[in-house]
Amino acid sequence: MEDKKVLFKVQNLKKYFPIKKKWFTDRQQYVHANENISLNIYEGETLGLVGESGSGKSTFGRTIIQLHSQTEGTTLYYGNTVENFAPEYIRKMVEKIPTLYPAYKAALKELEGLYEARDKEEDNDKRYEIEDKLMYKRRDIQNKYMAMVRHAGGLLLHKDLNKVSSVLKQQFSVNKQYADALEKASILDLKINDSEYAKKKDKLQSEREGLAKSILEIEKQLEEENKKVAALRDEVEKTEEFERLESLIDNGIDLSNLTEREMRRLRKDLQIIFQDPYSSLDTKFTVGNIIGEGVMAHHMFKSHNSEGYDDYIKKIMNQCGLSDYFIHRYPHQFSGGQRQRIGIARALALQPKFIVCDESVSALDVSIQSQVINLLQDLRVENNLTYLFITHDLSVVKYISDRIAVMYLGNVVELADTEKIFGQPLHPYTGALLNAIPRTDVDSNQTLSILEGDVPSAVNPPAGCRFHTRCKYCFDRCENFEPPLQEWQPEHFVACHLMDMEEEERKKYMAEIDAAEEKRLKEEAERLRQEAKQFQV
């Protein structure tokens, strides 16, 4: 994936849902739906997301496109840039630089002290305790200070941070004018080409020409502001930490900090196909209105009467296997599978860059399911779409996904290419999921494997590794420390303390556990047979 462009960079994402307080306690409780998820989604790929029901898959899909607001963490989107979008959170952050940077330096000093303590510690248990503190400290720094570092970079080393703040604030002000002008120009371009505005076409073209001149003037102002910023950067370029801070500059847009209006501007790029094809469609709207509502909201057409509107909606319907004459029908007149196709058409109509497919084919029968999956694949190639494909069906996810993330109780426990996940699963939970796939090959000598025990509550999740309550390979470290998601093989990430062992040691340990488990099962089966004999006539 090194040659691919990152479309989303998710870092330490958390999503908690508050639950109603009980009358006898003042303590607020939360459902820990997603916990410290960090991963990249590459442009043009399909990332499969699998796991048991209630593991937080749908919540993650909705949270990264901000249908749910994030509790913590950052979600960087690279379909646009900070310079061309000018989000308001940049201005607020720039104003705080004089106070934020000293706090950032103090946090880094504390982090450095933890690293030194870890390196000096000889006791393995205490070393892992420090490692755990390090992980949480890094996350804290990421959440509180990295937006500043991503934007200012080496300028933070300037001796006059108030001056840096002032110059960056002025640069942002001009950037904001530029972004607003570009947005207005794109809307005018759509109106000029819409037959509904034919009577105003001359006026709109005149306005567009005037706006083009304004954009050129703003670009000149922006060039001047960029020179001021570059001059400040020249003053500190020989400072010791300059190169490190400059390397952290990032022009991704943090979706978690956008205002409602700003998020609406990006909504056209980020779409979702909902899991429930019944409740996700407005029963009072016709199919044409359902598919076209977003199209008009984003100024692609002014109204249903615009020239080319019906042809465009029918084209999208045909792509999704819906006949033209369905355009004036209502959702209650369709089967579940047809309703799901309407949901797919609604998402595709806005020509998005990214689509969350939340169980998007689960309501379809097998033959139609394959048609829709092939359609999604074709559209991905033709339009360079990116999918987050959420499903329970491992056979489907194997066919459609480039990479697969395995989620358990709000955590991503394994992330790798599809071939690696199915060919060499490293996390015990992934292996259990794959063994649970029913097989018709009686000669495969593989039995249906069911995970023992119930999924722990997401309200009070277990400490340490969340899977340790159901894992037969669990040991002390698993119960006390959360395993970080680390790259153990190229592009193969695993969150499991078993991976801390050497390969031979790990295989020997797992073999011993498996042998003991097999012996226990045989003894249990023999005991049941003896009990059954007592009841024979």
Side-chain angles (χ1 to χ4, degrees):
M1 290 293 176
E2 293 178 1
D3 58 335
K4 287 208 172 187
K5 177 187 174 184
V6 175
L7 185 65
F8 278 92
K9 184 184 288 184
V10 181
Q11 298 173 320
N12 307 323
L13 181 144
K14 284 186 182 180
K15 179 58 189 174
Y16 292 174
F17 292 101
I19 58 179
K20 190 175 180 180
K21 290 183 181 179
K22 296 181 180 178
W23 65 270
F24 52 83
T25 180
D26 292 329
R27 180 170 166 263
Q28 176 67 65
Q29 289 187 306
Y30 296 89
V31 175
H32 296 223
N34 293 141
E35 188 83 51
N36 296 318
I37 298 175
S38 296
L39 54 82
N40 293 341
I41 301 176
Y42 298 98
E43 189 177 272
E45 79 162 343
T46 298
L47 176 65
L49 187 60
V50 300
E52 292 172 284
S53 294
S55 60
K57 304 185 300 298
S58 295
T59 298
F60 175 70
R62 294 179 182 217
T63 301
I64 62 171
I65 62 172
Q66 306 305 307
L67 290 185
H68 296 318
S69 57
Q70 291 179 211
T71 304
E72 277 186 21
T74 58
T75 301
L76 298 177
Y77 173 64
Y78 297 91
N80 206 324
T81 64
V82 168
E83 291 78 12
N84 290 339
F85 197 75
E88 183 63 19
Y89 75 83
I90 293 293
R91 182 186 64 79
K92 294 178 180 178
M93 179 274 299
V94 163
E95 290 176 345
K96 295 178 182 177
I97 282 179
T99 55
L100 267 181
Y101 183 62
Y104 172 63
K105 286 176 66 178
L108 285 181
K109 190 172 182 180
E110 187 178 344
L111 185 71
E112 187 179 344
L114 286 171
Y115 275 118
E116 290 176 358
R118 182 200 63 181
D119 295 339
K120 291 177 181 177
E121 185 59 61
E122 296 180 359
D123 185 280
N124 279 338
D125 290 339
K126 290 183 179 179
R127 187 182 176 88
Y128 268 99
E129 187 176 342
I130 297 172
E131 194 74 62
D132 204 46
K133 291 179 182 178
L134 271 169
M135 180 173 63
Y136 283 104
K137 190 62 184 178
R138 286 194 297 266
R139 289 173 182 171
D140 185 57
I141 292 172
Q142 176 71 47
N143 292 333
K144 289 182 179 178
Y145 308 112
M146 289 310 293
M148 170 186 67
V149 178
R150 285 195 299 269
H151 187 69
L155 290 175
L156 295 172
L157 300 171
H158 199 280
K159 61 183 179 181
D160 189 353
L161 290 179
N162 287 311
K163 183 179 179 181
V164 171
S165 177
S166 176
V167 171
L168 289 179
K169 189 176 177 181
Q170 183 59 33
Q171 183 194 43
F172 173 80
S173 178
V174 180
N175 255 330
K176 183 69 174 173
Q177 295 177 38
Y178 184 62
D180 290 344
L182 289 178
E183 182 188 12
K184 190 174 181 181
S186 65
I187 293 173
L188 282 174
D189 289 339
L190 290 170
K191 288 182 176 180
I192 289 169
N193 294 323
D194 193 331
S195 61
E196 287 288 296
Y197 292 95
K199 294 180 180 179
K200 300 180 180 180
K201 190 169 184 178
D202 291 340
K203 182 180 177 181
L204 290 171
Q205 286 179 334
S206 176
E207 188 178 347
R208 180 66 177 85
E209 290 170 4
L211 187 60
K213 292 178 182 178
S214 297
I215 289 174
L216 288 175
E217 292 176 3
I218 295 171
E219 285 177 345
K220 290 179 182 178
Q221 293 178 36
L222 189 57
E223 189 177 343
E224 291 300 316
E225 296 302 327
N226 289 340
K227 287 179 180 177
K228 293 178 183 178
V229 173
L232 282 179
R233 192 165 268 115
D234 290 341
E235 293 177 20
V236 293
E237 65 177 349
K238 294 183 180 179
T239 312
E240 185 179 347
E241 286 283 291
F242 181 78
E243 292 297 332
R244 182 185 71 83
L245 291 172
E246 282 291 292
S247 68
L248 296 174
I249 289 179
D250 195 321
N251 67 352
I253 300 170
D254 186 0
L255 301 184
S256 63
N257 281 325
L258 298 185
T259 64
E260 186 176 343
R261 182 184 178 277
E262 289 170 343
M263 194 63 230
R264 185 177 175 82
R265 284 169 59 190
L266 287 177
R267 188 63 66 196
K268 181 175 179 291
D269 291 351
L270 313 173
Q271 290 295 301
I272 183 171
I273 302 166
F274 292 99
Q275 182 174 359
D276 185 357
Y278 293 88
S279 62
S280 63
L281 302 180
D282 193 322
T283 56
K284 300 184 292 295
F285 277 24
T286 64
V287 172
N289 289 340
I290 289 170
I291 298 172
E293 185 180 17
V295 169
M296 289 186 293
H298 290 279
H299 310 287
M300 294 172 71
F301 292 94
K302 182 184 179 183
S303 72
H304 305 294
N305 300 318
S306 296
E307 184 180 346
Y309 172 83
D310 280 352
D311 291 337
Y312 181 76
I313 299 300
K314 288 176 180 177
K315 174 188 172 185
I316 297 295
M317 289 175 65
N318 287 330
Q319 284 183 329
C320 298
L322 296 166
S323 301
D324 291 358
Y325 59 84
F326 289 164
I327 193 169
H328 299 300
R329 291 190 180 182
Y330 291 86
H332 72 271
Q333 296 174 283
F334 294 93
S335 67
Q338 288 174 319
R339 291 188 193 199
Q340 192 63 286
R341 292 193 220 178
I342 296 170
I344 295 171
R346 176 175 57 188
L348 293 175
L350 287 169
Q351 301 170 7
K353 296 178 181 177
F354 177 73
I355 300 178
V356 176
C357 303
D358 188 4
E359 297 283 359
S360 56
V361 296
S362 62
L364 309 179
D365 59 69
V366 176
S367 59
I368 302 303
Q369 193 177 86
S370 63
Q371 292 176 22
V372 172
I373 289 173
N374 287 331
L375 169 66
L376 291 172
Q377 292 280 60
D378 292 341
L379 290 169
R380 187 189 77 166
V381 174
E382 291 170 11
N383 303 309
N384 196 29
L385 289 172
T386 305
Y387 296 137
L388 175 65
F389 196 85
I390 300 168
T391 183
H392 290 99
D393 193 335
L394 292 171
S395 59
V396 169
V397 83
K398 182 179 182 180
Y399 172 74
I400 197 172
S401 301
D402 299 300
R403 293 188 302 150
I404 294 175
V406 182
M407 185 174 284
Y408 180 79
L409 205 62
N411 286 84
V412 172
V413 297
E414 188 161 3
L415 171 66
D417 293 341
T418 301
E419 291 181 2
K420 290 181 180 178
I421 288 288
F422 279 86
Q424 189 187 10
L426 296 180
H427 197 282
Y429 179 65
T430 307
L433 282 182
L434 296 178
N435 286 332
I437 302 174
R439 291 170 172 80
T440 56
D441 182 5
V442 295
D443 297 324
S444 64
N445 294 323
Q446 289 181 296
T447 57
L448 183 65
S449 172
I450 303 296
L451 285 166
E452 295 183 0
D454 296 327
V455 180
S457 170
V459 178
N460 294 302
C465 175
R466 293 191 171 187
F467 187 58
H468 84 261
T469 57
R470 303 171 72 192
C471 181
K472 62 183 179 181
Y473 304 115
C474 166
F475 55 101
D476 291 345
R477 193 182 303 159
C478 304
E479 299 177 13
N480 298 316
F481 306 112
E482 177 189 345
L485 188 70
Q486 298 188 52
E487 188 174 16
W488 295 103
Q489 295 176 1
E491 295 296 332
H492 195 156
F493 299 84
V494 189
C496 182
H497 286 303
L498 285 172
M499 304 307 296
D500 296 341
M501 302 179 184
E502 294 294 333
E503 186 174 359
E504 292 300 321
E505 181 187 0
R506 181 172 71 250
K507 287 180 178 179
K508 181 181 178 182
Y509 172 76
M510 295 175 73
E512 290 174 355
I513 297 293
D514 289 339
E517 179 71 7
E518 186 177 355
K519 181 180 178 182
R520 184 188 68 80
L521 291 174
K522 287 181 179 179
E523 290 174 351
E524 180 69 14
E526 181 61 30
R527 184 184 65 80
L528 292 173
R529 278 195 293 269
Q530 295 300 327
E531 287 183 1
K533 285 181 181 180
Q534 296 177 12
F535 294 98
Q536 290 178 353
V537 179

